[in-house]
Amino acid sequence: MKLRHKIFFITIGLLALIILFAILWLNYRNVVINVFNYTLDRKTLINLLRHQGKHNAVLFMAVIAIGSAIPGVPIAAVAILSGVLFGRWIGFGINISGIVIGNLLAINILESFPHKIKPSRFRYLTDKLKNMHHPRIGLSIGYAIPMLPTLLVNYASLELKMSLKNKILCILIGSLPVSFLYAFGGDELIFGNTKAVIIAVVILLLLFGLCEVIRRDQRIVTARK
C-alpha cells in the first residue's frame, strides 16, 4: 500500500469517526450534562443511559468497526462504554460485531492495496504466528492479545492465504474474550462493582500470557524441522 493510499483511507476513517462521535454527543449530551451537575441518582442515570434508542447501538458498532480498521486507534474505551450504556450482553454483541467487521474491512483494504510490511519490534510475533504448527490457533490468539497490533495479525492472515470462513472464525474466536471483558467491565462499572472490574482487568492482563503459547507452538515447528 502506497503512502497516498494510507493517508486517504486513514483520513476517511478519521472523518467518519469524528462524524459518528458528533452524533453520539448530540444523543447523549443531556445525560452527560446531568451527570456533571450531579442531578441524577444511580438508578435514574442507568435507566436514562440505557433508553436512548436502539439506533445508538448501530452507531457504537460502526465506531468500533472503523476504529478496529485504523491502526493505532484505541477502541477499548468505546468497547467499555458499550457495556456501560447497553449492558454486558448487548454490549458484548456490539463489541464482537464491530471488531469482526472492522478487521475484515482492514484485511480487504490490505488485500486490495498490497505491499511488503516494514520491519518493526512486533514483526517477530507476526512471523511466529505464521510459523506455528497450528496457524489458525495462532491467529486467534493474535486477535485476543490487546498489546499486539491487529494490523500485523491481519497481514499474517493475508500471508497465510486463508479462506474468508477461516478468517472470520479466527477473528471471532480471538475477539470473544476481550469483547466480553470490555462489556462486562463496563456493565459492572456503572453499578459500582469495583471488585468485578478488577477481576476483569486481571483476566485481561493474563491474555498477554498467550504470547507464550505462540512461542511454544513455534518451537515445536522448529524442532520438527
Side-chain angles (χ1 to χ4, degrees):
M1 183 182 295
K2 296 182 179 179
L3 180 61
R4 66 173 182 271
H5 293 145
K6 290 182 180 179
I7 295 174
F8 173 76
F9 286 115
I10 290 175
T11 301
I12 293 297
L14 291 176
L15 287 175
L17 282 178
I18 291 172
I19 293 171
L20 289 171
F21 276 122
I23 296 173
L24 287 173
W25 165 250
L26 291 175
N27 290 342
Y28 286 98
R29 62 179 176 178
N30 291 331
V31 179
V32 174
I33 292 171
N34 285 326
V35 169
F36 282 101
N37 288 335
Y38 301 101
T39 58
L40 298 176
D41 57 57
R42 187 187 297 273
K43 184 177 180 180
T44 304
L45 175 61
I46 293 172
N47 288 333
L48 187 59
L49 285 173
R50 295 187 174 178
H51 292 83
Q52 292 296 310
K54 294 181 180 179
H55 64 284
N56 288 319
V58 178
L59 294 175
F60 269 86
M61 191 185 302
V63 169
I64 293 173
I66 296 173
S68 298
I70 301 176
V73 175
I75 62 167
V78 181
I80 292 172
L81 194 56
S82 70
V84 171
L85 299 177
F86 301 98
R88 65 184 64 177
W89 292 114
I90 296 179
F92 168 71
I94 292 171
N95 291 345
I96 193 69
S97 299
I99 292 173
V100 171
I101 293 171
N103 280 290
L104 287 176
L105 175 62
I107 290 173
N108 185 62
I109 292 174
L110 293 173
E111 195 170 24
S112 301
F113 300 90
H115 89 299
K116 189 174 181 180
I117 187 169
K118 294 181 180 179
S120 74
R121 62 193 180 96
F122 294 105
R123 178 67 197 189
Y124 79 99
L125 284 174
T126 311
D127 292 335
K128 287 182 180 296
L129 289 174
K130 295 189 299 177
N131 295 327
M132 286 181 67
H133 181 59
H134 305 92
R136 282 181 290 186
I137 295 177
L139 285 173
S140 297
I141 293 174
Y143 285 113
I145 302 174
M147 66 171 287
L148 182 60
T150 53
L151 174 64
L152 298 182
V153 186
N154 288 334
Y155 268 113
S157 174
L158 283 176
E159 292 177 10
L160 286 169
K161 302 185 184 302
M162 294 196 307
S163 65
L164 177 61
K165 178 182 177 181
N166 284 331
K167 288 176 185 175
I168 294 175
L169 191 61
C170 289
I171 298 171
L172 179 62
I173 293 174
S175 303
L176 285 174
V178 289
S179 295
F180 180 77
L181 285 173
Y182 288 147
F184 175 87
D187 182 60
E188 293 297 330
L189 185 63
I190 196 173
F191 287 102
N193 191 347
T194 54
K195 288 183 179 179
V197 174
I198 292 173
I199 292 172
V201 172
V202 170
I203 295 174
L204 195 60
L205 293 174
L206 289 175
L207 289 175
F208 294 153
L210 291 175
C211 290
E212 180 65 16
V213 177
I214 296 174
R215 187 172 66 85
R216 288 181 178 274
D217 196 88
Q218 200 270 341
R219 277 182 178 177
I220 295 174
V221 175
T222 303
R224 289 182 177 180
K225 289 181 180 179

